Structure formats: structure tokens, C-alpha cells
Amino acid sequence: MTDRNVIAVVGATGAQGGGLVRAILADPEGGFACRAITRDPNKDQARALAALGADVVQADLDDLDSLTKAFAGAHGAYCVTNFWEHFSGEKEKAQARNMAEAARAAGLRHVIWSTLEDTRKLMAASDTRMPMLQEKYRVPHFDAKAEADAYFAGLPVTYLVASFYWDNLYTFGLAPKKGDDGVYRWAFPMGDKRLAGIAAGDIGKAAYGIFKAGPHYIGKTVGIVGENLTLDQMSEKLSKGLGILVKYHAVEADAYRGFGFAGADELGNMFQVDRDFETEVLGARSIDVTRSLDPSLQTFDQWLAENKSRIPLA
Ligand SMILES: NC(=O)c1ccc[n+]([C@@H]2O[C@H](COP(=O)([O-])OP(=O)(O)OC[C@H]3O[C@@H](n4cnc5c(N)ncnc54)[C@H](OP(=O)(O)O)[C@@H]3O)[C@@H](O)[C@H]2O)c1
């Protein structure tokens, strides 16, 4: 047993939760301990967390009983779903509901729900600029999370709204691709608008800042971001940082949705929202608040210097 406040971390083997686990373990005097939740405590990433000092426990978001046990006796929980494992808004909502129910049963004193904004509120239902997906969503992995906010109502919850991870360049296949002429190109339906971006590792650090702030952020929505950059600015920074020539092509959203990879329609809608509603998307996130929660918050250049060897340059 520990006299420190235990945070049960869903997604501990992943980007968001992993960052939080590492932030808690890096601050042994901070008053928090962490319980790292995974479906498979024997996997390498889970063993690595145990070796760092995390208490690793098994639970599955699809199994309410396992979650209730995993949250029992904890002070708080970090709740995140992984849309990209199943691509289903409905499943994401069911998993969020299980986490909220488990948090209620455990009487947690602080829950962070990693949500995103409801993009349907940005345009009328009759707006034809982008298709509805899965019958009722504009951007399912945003809108379903926003719908799931309601499950957490009544709990001592902070709604955390993250930004596009720059790490998507190496984890999501979004890096510029080399052409026959040696020039690296990438295409997004972002026009000349700025994309709110963040180093994935900073999400967990900011979440740790929220837990440390105690009741201050309970009942609040906190939008976090490292830097807002146009794709031309990111291309310039990549060119300089990687010693290559990167060119950005602004494509139409319909063209992007037709690119044919799994999730192209979803990401096409998402980038179109980022482009058409730049003011609203950027306005929902604050660099100053993020830096106050995470003083080591990285800029794109800092993230690139640390991660450049991971970016595939084939
Ligand atoms: N990529 C972006 O730019 C971005 C930006 C904002 C928000 N997001 C959101 O971030 C979410 C993904 O978070 P991430 O990037 O941290 O994920 P990630 O690195 O892909 O890792 C997924 C994590 O979820 C856990 N998990 C998945 N299904 C589970 C289940 N049924 N039961 C228990 N644990 C489960 C996995 O644990 P085990 O496999 O160990 O069980 C793993 O730790 C997505 O929903 C996405 O919409 C992404």
C-alpha cells in the first residue's frame, strides 16, 4: 500500500497514458503513485512500465467489472479510448461509459476524460461541405468523444482536449513522402491555416499538472497545444531540421477523403474542420495554460530535434 494518491491510468502503454505514467514516476516527491492499466500485463511496454516502478494491472475497457476493480481504491483516473483500434464512434462511447461507471463505483476524487470537441456544433446539419460519417458524425473520433462527455457528468471530472500529435508523422504514416526528384511532399486539405499541434509526450505531462492542481480544474474543459503552425511552416522546419526539401500541397478535402487509406474520409473531415474553423479550433486550446501545466512543453522544433531519427525518410 502507498500513502500517495494513486492515479489509475488507462492507455498506460500508449501515447497519452504512457506520458502520464512517466510524469508521475519522474516525480517521486509529488505525492502521486500510478497504477498502469493494460489488457496485457505481459506485453513489452507493460513490463517496461513495471520496471520503471508502475503498479501494472489488467483491465479491458469492454469489461466493466475489470475496470471497476482496476479503479478501486484509487484517488483518480485518466480515461482515454483508442478510436483507431476499431474506428467506431458507438464503441468509443460504450467504452467511455464503462470508465465513467467504474469511476463512480470507485468514488474517485478526480477523473480526467480525454475528449475532443463536437464538430457538428460548428456547422448546420444541412451543411453539405463534408459528408456525415457513421450516419451521424462529422468527425466520429471527435463527436463520439464529445457525446461521451455526458457520461462523466456529476463526477469530479476535467475534460481534456488534446491537439494533433506531431508524433503522427512516425506513428500514423503522415510524414512527407520522397518523390523521384528527391523532394519530399505531403498533402492536406488545410489551405494556409494553422494546425494546433503538440508533442504526444506533453499530453501526459499536462494531465499530471491537472491532477497536481487539485480541485482547480474539476468541472473545467482544458484545451492543450504546443504550437499552432501552417503546413508551410512545418514543411520549412522539417526541411531545415532533417536536411531535406519538404513541399506542402494544399488539396481539396474531397480529394483527401478519396485517398483510399483506412480513415481517409474521417481525417479529410477533421482537417477540413481545422481549416474551415481555424479560429474556433485554435481558440479552444491555449499554449499559455498548457505551459502552466507542463513547464517543459515542447515547440515543434524541440520535438523535431528529439524525434528526427524516428521520422521515416524512405
Ligand atoms: N493522434 C492524434 O493526433 C490524436 C490527437 C488527439 C486525440 N487523439 C485520440 O487519442 C486516442 C488514442 O490515445 P493514444 O494515442 O494514447 O493511443 P495509443 O498510443 O495508440 O495506445 C492505445 C492505448 O489504449 C489502450 N487500449 C485500447 N483499447 C483498450 C481496451 N479495450 N481496454 C484497455 N485498454 C485499451 C492500449 O492498451 P493495451 O493495448 O496495453 O491494452 C494502449 O495503451 C484516440 O482515441 C484518438 O482519437 C489522438
Side-chain angles (χ1 to χ4, degrees), residues 10-18 37-41 43 45-46 59-63 67 78 80-86 91-92 95 114-116 141-142 145 161-168 171-172 174 198 200 203 270 285:
V10 174
T13 60
Q16 296 193 17
I37 295 173
T38 173
R39 285 166 292 184
D40 178 8
K43 71 198 274 190
Q45 298 97 315
D60 190 321
L61 296 181
D62 298 323
D63 175 356
L67 271 181
Y78 186 78
V80 60
T81 46
N82 186 11
F83 175 87
W84 301 105
E85 196 169 305
H86 46 72
K91 183 160 174 128
E92 192 161 35
Q95 293 183 333
S114 180
T115 187
L116 285 167
H141 74 285
F142 276 58
K145 286 185 181 69
V161 176
S163 295
F164 177 88
Y165 313 169
W166 296 319
D167 303 73
N168 291 334
T171 59
F172 232 79
L174 292 186
I198 193 164
I203 298 171
M270 182 190 81
R285 292 155 173 82

Side-chain angles (χ1 to χ4, degrees), residues 2-41:
T2 172
D3 55 359
R4 289 176 288 164
N5 285 330
V6 172
I7 305 295
V9 182
V10 174
T13 60
Q16 296 193 17
L20 174 57
V21 168
R22 283 185 290 277
I24 294 171
L25 295 176
D27 185 16
E29 306 303 316
F32 289 91
C34 88
R35 191 181 290 165
I37 295 173
T38 173
R39 285 166 292 184
D40 178 8

